[in-house]
Amino acid sequence: MEAVDEARPSQTALRVALRRAAHQLYDARPLVFDDPFAVRILGAHAEELQRTPGRNPAYKARPYSIGLRALLVARSRYAEDRLADAVAQGATQYVLLGAGLDTFAHRNPHAHLRVFEVDHPATQMWKRDLLRDNGIASPENLVYAPVDFERQSLADQLREAGFDFAAPSFFAWLGVVPYLTRETFRATIEFIAAQPKGSGVVFDYGQPREVLSPLEQLAHDSLAARVQQAGEEFRLFFTPQEIAAELRNFREIEDIGSAEINARYFADRTDALRLMGSAARIVGAWL
Ligand SMILES: C[S@@+](CC[C@H](N)C(=O)[O-])C[C@H]1O[C@@H](n2cnc3c(N)ncnc32)[C@H](O)[C@@H]1O
């Protein structure tokens, strides 16, 4: 089975965007990830969120739903925090691999940062329609590079889009790794590892089912089934030890789990928003 349907925009991209929008609408202030475009980009899809509070899983009542939303907002926040560090140290390009409905390009606070959005062509086209239909203009320093990671060369498509291979770049690869083959994962890591000093990457990954507790296995099975129903499929998992081996060509690695993520971003909250379980981890790696 294909991990991504050729002609159809990514349904998981919509689902994670709905949860980021739910964070803006329903979670206590201060938000972990403040995104003024998160609701707006969804247009009519956001009305669906507001019409069915309580019944919509992206809303707030179920602890599992809260834990998943916490992960999604934390990984976006982590990526943009690490990006800010990279820009301060000279990075001039930000590449969103599997950008989905990420709105960073429309909130970019870094004056000289070029943004490359890389995504499956069907998803990218759908996003561009949503932006246009919902009155969100395309900033000048945003470049689109349509790529099917399983069939096309990321380097070739970025070259065609005007990517500068001599400049330090920062890559965000959020919510994408589980959908890839191991070969594509390795080819992408190898590509990033070949970038100039000062470059880096942030991504998240899931641990294999067999290392999870029985309760976490249930949550894993339920999410995997829903993703598969959406026409996409989880197929790549790693342990932290395996990730360290995959990233051996990077100078520095930070690989954080729910306890560290909660301590960093969810301490002292007045609501119940926080990660649960140990399945998901977030990684930053620097050259
Ligand atoms: C769960 S969404 C995450 C989107 C976005 N990064 C976010 O955090 O909102 C997964 C994304 O990976 C992209 N993707 C998955 N497999 C892909 C492939 N083989 N080629 C290109 N994009 C792919 C999908 O199009 C989708 O945008």
Side-chain angles (χ1 to χ4, degrees), residues 128-142:
R128 297 179 73 166
D129 288 346
L130 279 177
L131 288 166
R132 191 198 51 229
D133 294 350
N134 296 307
I136 304 175
S138 188
E140 255 179 35
N141 53 5
L142 166 62

Side-chain angles (χ1 to χ4, degrees), residues 104-165:
F104 173 82
H106 306 275
R107 302 178 278 102
N108 179 1
H110 309 293
H112 301 294
L113 184 72
R114 295 183 78 202
V115 181
F116 291 81
E117 288 201 8
V118 177
D119 209 342
H120 197 278
T123 300
Q124 194 162 81
M125 207 117 70
W126 167 66
K127 180 190 201 168
R128 297 179 73 166
D129 288 346
L130 279 177
L131 288 166
R132 191 198 51 229
D133 294 350
N134 296 307
I136 304 175
S138 188
E140 255 179 35
N141 53 5
L142 166 62
V143 184
Y144 291 104
V147 179
D148 180 341
F149 298 130
E150 300 294 345
R151 291 160 200 262
Q152 291 173 297
S153 149
L154 175 59
D156 289 351
Q157 298 302 108
L158 278 176
R159 188 174 296 109
E160 195 159 310
F163 184 75
D164 180 354
F165 288 79

Side-chain angles (χ1 to χ4, degrees), residues 55 90 92 118 143 148 163 172 175 186 203 231 235 240 247 267 279 282:
R55 273 184 295 146
T92 55
V118 177
V143 184
D148 180 341
F163 184 75
R186 287 194 171 147
F203 65 90
R235 51 184 177 180
L247 299 178
I282 303 177

Side-chain angles (χ1 to χ4, degrees), residues 7 17 112 136 139 176 182 193 204 216 233 241:
H112 301 294
I136 304 175
V176 187
R182 192 173 297 273
D204 57 311
E216 288 167 353
E233 189 185 13
Q241 293 74 15

Side-chain angles (χ1 to χ4, degrees), residues 9-139:
S10 165
Q11 295 305 296
T12 61
L14 174 60
R15 289 177 183 203
V16 300
L18 278 165
R19 289 177 192 271
R20 281 195 298 266
H23 178 56
Q24 315 303 310
L25 294 172
Y26 304 124
D27 289 329
R29 272 53 186 163
L31 296 176
V32 173
F33 184 65
D34 194 351
D35 179 353
F37 290 102
V39 175
R40 198 166 144 202
I41 189 173
L42 291 169
H45 296 292
E47 286 163 26
E48 177 197 325
L49 255 186
Q50 282 155 328
R51 263 204 313 274
T52 56
R55 273 184 295 146
N56 193 309
Y59 183 60
K60 60 177 178 181
R62 295 187 308 170
Y64 171 73
S65 186
I66 295 172
L68 180 55
R69 185 164 76 250
L71 168 68
L72 300 180
V73 297
R75 77 184 185 195
S76 290
R77 167 72 183 275
Y78 181 77
E80 294 186 14
D81 283 355
R82 298 291 73 79
L83 169 69
D85 298 343
V87 168
Q89 289 175 24
T92 55
Q93 302 181 113
Y94 185 38
V95 184
L96 290 141
L97 298 171
L101 299 183
D102 192 299
T103 67
F104 173 82
H106 306 275
R107 302 178 278 102
N108 179 1
H110 309 293
H112 301 294
L113 184 72
R114 295 183 78 202
V115 181
F116 291 81
E117 288 201 8
V118 177
D119 209 342
H120 197 278
T123 300
Q124 194 162 81
M125 207 117 70
W126 167 66
K127 180 190 201 168
R128 297 179 73 166
D129 288 346
L130 279 177
L131 288 166
R132 191 198 51 229
D133 294 350
N134 296 307
I136 304 175
S138 188

